[in-house]
Amino acid sequence: DGGITQSPKYLFRKEGQNVTLSCEQNLNHDAMYWYRQDPGQGLRLIYYSQIVNDFQKGDIAEGYSVSREKKESFPLTVTSAQKNPTAFYLCASTQQGGGTEAFFGQGTRLTVV
Amino acid sequence: KQEVTQIPAALSVPEGENLVLNCSFTDSAIYNLQWFRQDPGKGLTSLLLIQSSQREQTSGRLNASLDKSSGRSTLYIAASQPGDSATYLCAVDYTGTASKLTFGTGTRLQVTL
């Protein structure tokens, strides 16, 4: 079945540690996105990539980094510079171009311990 | 600033009732609007995508309408069931390129027996 796979489902980070969240899609979509979800707030865009080897900052990129070396993969690293990383992280993808449907993974819940 | 608002934040209805969820957006120059369902601790599931040129879309018991001039979309759920209990999110694509979405904060729906 085509879809988006995020791993791990749960992740715990110690203070000062970098962690990487995985996102893989087999939908052959060109564009991929990372959103952060906090209670009582709408999803906020962290980074997005429209094509391999290119990505742009979203609304809340500080303390995060990404790479897009393969079309199907868009990993997100939460660095120690992110002061409040505890949240639910969602990866999404769309076909290139406007008017296309967005598909989401099942999310990764990151907790600072 | 382009914003998306969903009111009410929570709604409880008895099983079998027809209901309407509301989504308002501040800028009428949209490319499309998408409705999602989110179960607790899960990712987003796409329900309906309405292009800017369309007035409504239907899927089973769900019907979504779009009125760009008034900046509103509604999601109509017919004959509600306990399995419909979830949070419903609307998202607007203002860019028309890689579908960077602006999300509302959602309406949490509970359908009671």
Side-chain angles (χ1 to χ4, degrees):
Chain A
D1 287 336
I4 300 177
T5 301
Q6 290 187 239
S7 63
K9 187 174 181 179
Y10 300 97
L11 187 57
F12 298 90
R13 193 194 92 167
K14 296 180 180 179
E15 294 285 347
Q17 189 178 45
N18 293 353
V19 292
T20 298
L21 285 60
S22 172
C23 179
E24 303 277 334
Q25 55 99 359
N26 60 4
L27 300 167
N28 199 33
H29 283 175
D30 294 302
M32 297 185 74
Y33 314 79
W34 276 105
Y35 289 89
R36 170 179 171 144
Q37 187 176 35
D38 296 281
Q41 297 192 41
L43 275 70
R44 293 180 291 170
L45 182 66
I46 304 172
Y47 268 98
Y48 65 103
S49 168
Q50 299 184 30
I51 195 170
V52 174
N53 293 322
D54 186 52
F55 48 82
Q56 287 78 41
K57 293 181 178 180
D59 301 319
I60 55 166
E62 185 176 352
Y64 300 98
S65 66
V66 294
S67 63
R68 187 84 187 278
E69 298 177 359
K70 299 185 297 182
K71 184 176 183 178
E72 60 271 22
S73 179
F74 191 41
L76 173 74
T77 296
V78 184
T79 75
S80 57
Q82 172 50 240
K83 298 307 178 186
N84 185 24
T86 295
F88 192 52
Y89 291 86
L90 289 158
C91 178
S93 72
T94 62
Q95 281 284 8
Q96 188 58 278
T100 56
E101 189 175 9
F103 293 87
F104 280 78
Q106 287 300 299
T108 293
R109 182 163 299 281
L110 174 62
T111 303
V112 175
V113 296
Chain B
K1 182 181 178 182
Q2 296 164 331
E3 294 183 341
V4 178
T5 304
Q6 293 185 249
I7 296 174
L11 181 64
S12 181
V13 300
E15 181 181 14
E17 190 163 300
N18 301 326
L19 61 102
V20 173
L21 305 180
N22 297 297
C23 174
S24 301
F25 45 93
T26 55
D27 186 343
S28 62
I30 72 171
Y31 282 84
N32 64 49
L33 184 146
Q34 196 167 352
W35 282 94
F36 295 90
R37 168 186 173 135
Q38 185 176 32
D39 293 290
K42 304 292 186 182
L44 276 63
T45 300
S46 178
L47 298 174
L48 290 164
L49 171 70
I50 310 179
Q51 304 292 351
S52 61
S53 59
Q54 297 174 320
R55 293 299 300 263
E56 65 179 285
Q57 281 281 4
T58 298
S59 176
R61 294 183 294 109
L62 306 179
N63 175 278
S65 67
L66 176 64
D67 183 345
K68 287 198 304 179
S69 62
S70 66
R72 291 190 60 195
S73 175
T74 61
L75 179 66
Y76 175 83
I77 302 177
S80 59
Q81 304 170 358
D84 295 329
S85 298
T87 297
Y88 291 81
L89 298 159
C90 70
V92 174
D93 177 12
Y94 286 109
T95 65
T97 54
S99 299
K100 189 177 67 168
L101 299 174
T102 300
F103 282 84
T105 53
T107 294
R108 188 172 67 254
L109 173 66
Q110 182 175 12
V111 181
T112 58
L113 293 171

